[in-house]
Amino acid sequence: MWNKSMPLYKQIANNIKEDIADAKLTSGDAIPSETNLAKTYGVSRVTIREAIKQLVEEDILYRVQGSGTYISHEKIEHNILKLQGFTEEMSELDNNPSNEILEFQLMPADQEVRDHLKIGEGEKVYYVKRLRLADYEPLIVEESYLPVDLFPDLSIEVMKHSKYDYISGKGYKIDRRFGELIPKMPSAEMIQHLQITESDPLLYMQAFSTFKDGTVFEYSKIYFHPHKYSFKVVSSRNGE
């Protein structure tokens, strides 16, 4: 039954891929447990674990700690050169965006936040942490700091919807975002919110955004789901 010229776990991985296609399983569907797969293919759980590991590395599967193994989503190609709100981006992809407010506080800005927002000591900011979902699946955890002076009427209800729509509705002209994107290992909190494992490196962006007049209106920390996001950039040589 098995080809001795190829490692057994690789053959199992290929069979799992074929069975996924035959069963017409789609992104987000769970595959059987390691125990059931071992019985199905007549091999050890160690071999099944190696096969699944390969498929995870190929982004065909992903694990959710304490839950199981699932078929990976087609990744959202996020254009980092386009300043676009999450709600707008998801709506363009025909996904249903929503926000879960994890924290909402009015607080004095610490030195890090003051430096990014270019505000003075003693000034207050809103701190908002949101879990951002599309079709009820978690995609992003976002931490935002916004100056109270600019947005005195900001509320939990506002932040359940599009932040950029709210800001634009106040007559402000959003212009640019300056950010740095780095890989980062997840904390226990991120593992829980994004339903990933401790070995899944996050895509982490630290950024601040400005209006047309140069005013900094937001400092944010954004944690992207590693299995559901990829980042797209278009480059040209010598300005061609």
mmCIF file of all heavy atoms in Angstrom, residues 146 151 154 158-159 162-174 211 217-218:
data_model
loop_
_atom_site.group_PDB
_atom_site.id
_atom_site.type_symbol
_atom_site.label_atom_id
_atom_site.label_comp_id
_atom_site.label_asym_id
_atom_site.label_seq_id
_atom_site.Cartn_x
_atom_site.Cartn_y
_atom_site.Cartn_z
ATOM 1 N N LEU A 146 -6.410 57.248 21.249
ATOM 2 C CA LEU A 146 -6.907 58.418 20.535
ATOM 3 C C LEU A 146 -7.043 59.597 21.498
ATOM 4 O O LEU A 146 -7.580 59.433 22.604
ATOM 5 C CB LEU A 146 -8.262 58.116 19.891
ATOM 6 C CG LEU A 146 -8.266 56.959 18.887
ATOM 7 C CD1 LEU A 146 -8.953 55.747 19.485
ATOM 8 C CD2 LEU A 146 -8.944 57.352 17.590
ATOM 9 N N PHE A 151 -11.528 63.808 20.003
ATOM 10 C CA PHE A 151 -12.742 62.978 19.926
ATOM 11 C C PHE A 151 -13.448 62.933 21.282
ATOM 12 O O PHE A 151 -13.532 61.881 21.919
ATOM 13 C CB PHE A 151 -12.371 61.559 19.477
ATOM 14 C CG PHE A 151 -11.473 61.506 18.268
ATOM 15 C CD1 PHE A 151 -10.156 61.087 18.380
ATOM 16 C CD2 PHE A 151 -11.943 61.887 17.023
ATOM 17 C CE1 PHE A 151 -9.328 61.034 17.276
ATOM 18 C CE2 PHE A 151 -11.126 61.846 15.907
ATOM 19 C CZ PHE A 151 -9.815 61.423 16.025
ATOM 20 N N LEU A 154 -16.235 60.196 21.789
ATOM 21 C CA LEU A 154 -15.973 58.788 21.444
ATOM 22 C C LEU A 154 -16.638 57.891 22.486
ATOM 23 O O LEU A 154 -16.635 58.188 23.677
ATOM 24 C CB LEU A 154 -14.469 58.528 21.404
ATOM 25 C CG LEU A 154 -14.038 57.172 20.837
ATOM 26 C CD1 LEU A 154 -14.280 57.121 19.341
ATOM 27 C CD2 LEU A 154 -12.553 56.906 21.134
ATOM 28 N N VAL A 158 -19.663 53.742 19.347
ATOM 29 C CA VAL A 158 -18.957 54.194 18.143
ATOM 30 C C VAL A 158 -17.933 53.150 17.713
ATOM 31 O O VAL A 158 -17.836 52.795 16.534
ATOM 32 C CB VAL A 158 -18.260 55.550 18.393
ATOM 33 C CG1 VAL A 158 -17.231 55.838 17.296
ATOM 34 C CG2 VAL A 158 -19.287 56.676 18.443
ATOM 35 N N MET A 159 -17.175 52.628 18.684
ATOM 36 C CA MET A 159 -16.082 51.714 18.358
ATOM 37 C C MET A 159 -16.555 50.306 18.008
ATOM 38 O O MET A 159 -15.767 49.466 17.590
ATOM 39 C CB MET A 159 -15.079 51.671 19.508
ATOM 40 C CG MET A 159 -14.359 53.005 19.737
ATOM 41 S SD MET A 159 -13.430 53.582 18.292
ATOM 42 C CE MET A 159 -12.013 52.479 18.319
ATOM 43 N N SER A 162 -17.326 51.323 12.407
ATOM 44 C CA SER A 162 -16.125 51.781 11.717
ATOM 45 C C SER A 162 -15.562 53.037 12.375
ATOM 46 O O SER A 162 -16.228 54.079 12.413
ATOM 47 C CB SER A 162 -16.434 52.067 10.242
ATOM 48 O OG SER A 162 -15.358 52.751 9.638
ATOM 49 N N LYS A 163 -14.347 52.938 12.851
ATOM 50 C CA LYS A 163 -13.669 54.095 13.447
ATOM 51 C C LYS A 163 -13.414 55.161 12.404
ATOM 52 O O LYS A 163 -13.605 56.365 12.658
ATOM 53 C CB LYS A 163 -12.352 53.618 14.064
ATOM 54 C CG LYS A 163 -11.468 54.705 14.638
ATOM 55 C CD LYS A 163 -10.216 54.075 15.253
ATOM 56 C CE LYS A 163 -9.448 53.260 14.223
ATOM 57 N NZ LYS A 163 -8.370 52.460 14.796
ATOM 58 N N TYR A 164 -13.010 54.770 11.208
ATOM 59 C CA TYR A 164 -12.705 55.743 10.159
ATOM 60 C C TYR A 164 -13.961 56.458 9.669
ATOM 61 O O TYR A 164 -13.914 57.636 9.322
ATOM 62 C CB TYR A 164 -11.973 55.064 9.006
ATOM 63 C CG TYR A 164 -10.491 54.866 9.247
ATOM 64 C CD1 TYR A 164 -9.923 55.092 10.492
ATOM 65 C CD2 TYR A 164 -9.645 54.458 8.221
ATOM 66 C CE1 TYR A 164 -8.572 54.909 10.711
ATOM 67 C CE2 TYR A 164 -8.287 54.275 8.429
ATOM 68 C CZ TYR A 164 -7.753 54.490 9.680
ATOM 69 O OH TYR A 164 -6.409 54.313 9.899
ATOM 70 N N ASP A 165 -15.095 55.758 9.628
ATOM 71 C CA ASP A 165 -16.346 56.418 9.259
ATOM 72 C C ASP A 165 -16.703 57.488 10.286
ATOM 73 O O ASP A 165 -17.154 58.583 9.929
ATOM 74 C CB ASP A 165 -17.489 55.400 9.161
ATOM 75 C CG ASP A 165 -17.460 54.599 7.862
ATOM 76 O OD1 ASP A 165 -16.625 54.920 6.988
ATOM 77 O OD2 ASP A 165 -18.258 53.652 7.739
ATOM 78 N N TYR A 166 -16.515 57.160 11.560
ATOM 79 C CA TYR A 166 -16.782 58.124 12.634
ATOM 80 C C TYR A 166 -15.887 59.345 12.500
ATOM 81 O O TYR A 166 -16.354 60.494 12.586
ATOM 82 C CB TYR A 166 -16.548 57.440 13.985
ATOM 83 C CG TYR A 166 -16.315 58.374 15.146
ATOM 84 C CD1 TYR A 166 -17.363 59.082 15.739
ATOM 85 C CD2 TYR A 166 -15.030 58.555 15.660
ATOM 86 C CE1 TYR A 166 -17.144 59.934 16.820
ATOM 87 C CE2 TYR A 166 -14.794 59.403 16.730
ATOM 88 C CZ TYR A 166 -15.851 60.092 17.301
ATOM 89 O OH TYR A 166 -15.619 60.943 18.364
ATOM 90 N N ILE A 167 -14.581 59.117 12.250
ATOM 91 C CA ILE A 167 -13.629 60.224 12.150
ATOM 92 C C ILE A 167 -13.935 61.085 10.929
ATOM 93 O O ILE A 167 -13.962 62.316 11.008
ATOM 94 C CB ILE A 167 -12.190 59.679 12.103
ATOM 95 C CG1 ILE A 167 -11.831 59.050 13.458
ATOM 96 C CG2 ILE A 167 -11.199 60.775 11.751
ATOM 97 C CD1 ILE A 167 -10.505 58.306 13.469
ATOM 98 N N SER A 168 -14.195 60.442 9.794
ATOM 99 C CA SER A 168 -14.516 61.194 8.568
ATOM 100 C C SER A 168 -15.810 61.978 8.739
ATOM 101 O O SER A 168 -15.947 63.089 8.212
ATOM 102 C CB SER A 168 -14.629 60.237 7.376
ATOM 103 O OG SER A 168 -13.394 59.588 7.136
ATOM 104 N N GLY A 169 -16.761 61.413 9.485
ATOM 105 C CA GLY A 169 -18.025 62.085 9.712
ATOM 106 C C GLY A 169 -17.898 63.354 10.533
ATOM 107 O O GLY A 169 -18.786 64.212 10.519
ATOM 108 N N LYS A 170 -16.769 63.487 11.238
ATOM 109 C CA LYS A 170 -16.521 64.709 12.006
ATOM 110 C C LYS A 170 -15.823 65.776 11.165
ATOM 111 O O LYS A 170 -15.479 66.855 11.670
ATOM 112 C CB LYS A 170 -15.678 64.387 13.244
ATOM 113 C CG LYS A 170 -16.391 63.442 14.211
ATOM 114 C CD LYS A 170 -15.541 63.120 15.414
ATOM 115 C CE LYS A 170 -15.517 64.266 16.414
ATOM 116 N NZ LYS A 170 -16.839 64.516 17.011
ATOM 117 N N GLY A 171 -15.594 65.466 9.893
ATOM 118 C CA GLY A 171 -14.991 66.441 8.982
ATOM 119 C C GLY A 171 -13.488 66.368 8.866
ATOM 120 O O GLY A 171 -12.874 67.153 8.138
ATOM 121 N N TYR A 172 -12.878 65.403 9.535
ATOM 122 C CA TYR A 172 -11.422 65.261 9.455
ATOM 123 C C TYR A 172 -11.030 64.542 8.164
ATOM 124 O O TYR A 172 -11.748 63.663 7.678
ATOM 125 C CB TYR A 172 -10.890 64.465 10.641
ATOM 126 C CG TYR A 172 -11.022 65.166 11.974
ATOM 127 C CD1 TYR A 172 -11.752 64.584 13.015
ATOM 128 C CD2 TYR A 172 -10.404 66.391 12.216
ATOM 129 C CE1 TYR A 172 -11.869 65.202 14.250
ATOM 130 C CE2 TYR A 172 -10.510 67.021 13.452
ATOM 131 C CZ TYR A 172 -11.245 66.426 14.463
ATOM 132 O OH TYR A 172 -11.355 67.039 15.683
ATOM 133 N N LYS A 173 -9.870 64.899 7.620
ATOM 134 C CA LYS A 173 -9.350 64.281 6.405
ATOM 135 C C LYS A 173 -8.174 63.366 6.759
ATOM 136 O O LYS A 173 -7.071 63.829 7.043
ATOM 137 C CB LYS A 173 -8.897 65.351 5.405
ATOM 138 C CG LYS A 173 -9.990 66.344 5.008
ATOM 139 C CD LYS A 173 -11.146 65.651 4.300
ATOM 140 C CE LYS A 173 -12.203 66.664 3.863
ATOM 141 N NZ LYS A 173 -13.366 66.000 3.232
ATOM 142 N N ILE A 174 -8.431 62.070 6.769
ATOM 143 C CA ILE A 174 -7.382 61.093 7.084
ATOM 144 C C ILE A 174 -6.403 61.020 5.926
ATOM 145 O O ILE A 174 -6.803 60.916 4.769
ATOM 146 C CB ILE A 174 -8.009 59.717 7.362
ATOM 147 C CG1 ILE A 174 -8.932 59.796 8.586
ATOM 148 C CG2 ILE A 174 -6.930 58.658 7.567
ATOM 149 C CD1 ILE A 174 -9.776 58.555 8.792
ATOM 150 N N PHE A 211 -3.774 63.307 9.994
ATOM 151 C CA PHE A 211 -4.681 64.023 9.106
ATOM 152 C C PHE A 211 -3.872 64.752 8.042
ATOM 153 O O PHE A 211 -2.641 64.773 8.081
ATOM 154 C CB PHE A 211 -5.510 65.040 9.898
ATOM 155 C CG PHE A 211 -6.443 64.430 10.898
ATOM 156 C CD1 PHE A 211 -6.637 65.035 12.135
ATOM 157 C CD2 PHE A 211 -7.151 63.273 10.613
ATOM 158 C CE1 PHE A 211 -7.516 64.495 13.067
ATOM 159 C CE2 PHE A 211 -8.028 62.720 11.529
ATOM 160 C CZ PHE A 211 -8.208 63.330 12.756
ATOM 161 N N PHE A 217 -3.618 61.566 14.921
ATOM 162 C CA PHE A 217 -4.908 61.328 15.566
ATOM 163 C C PHE A 217 -5.022 59.954 16.204
ATOM 164 O O PHE A 217 -5.980 59.680 16.936
ATOM 165 C CB PHE A 217 -6.063 61.534 14.579
ATOM 166 C CG PHE A 217 -6.160 60.481 13.499
ATOM 167 C CD1 PHE A 217 -6.865 59.309 13.696
ATOM 168 C CD2 PHE A 217 -5.553 60.682 12.258
ATOM 169 C CE1 PHE A 217 -6.973 58.351 12.703
ATOM 170 C CE2 PHE A 217 -5.654 59.727 11.251
ATOM 171 C CZ PHE A 217 -6.362 58.549 11.482
ATOM 172 N N GLU A 218 -4.042 59.068 15.946
ATOM 173 C CA GLU A 218 -4.147 57.720 16.510
ATOM 174 C C GLU A 218 -2.766 57.074 16.600
ATOM 175 O O GLU A 218 -1.918 57.231 15.726
ATOM 176 C CB GLU A 218 -5.040 56.841 15.629
ATOM 177 C CG GLU A 218 -5.170 55.408 16.122
ATOM 178 C CD GLU A 218 -5.952 54.514 15.186
ATOM 179 O OE1 GLU A 218 -5.944 54.769 13.961
ATOM 180 O OE2 GLU A 218 -6.583 53.557 15.672
#
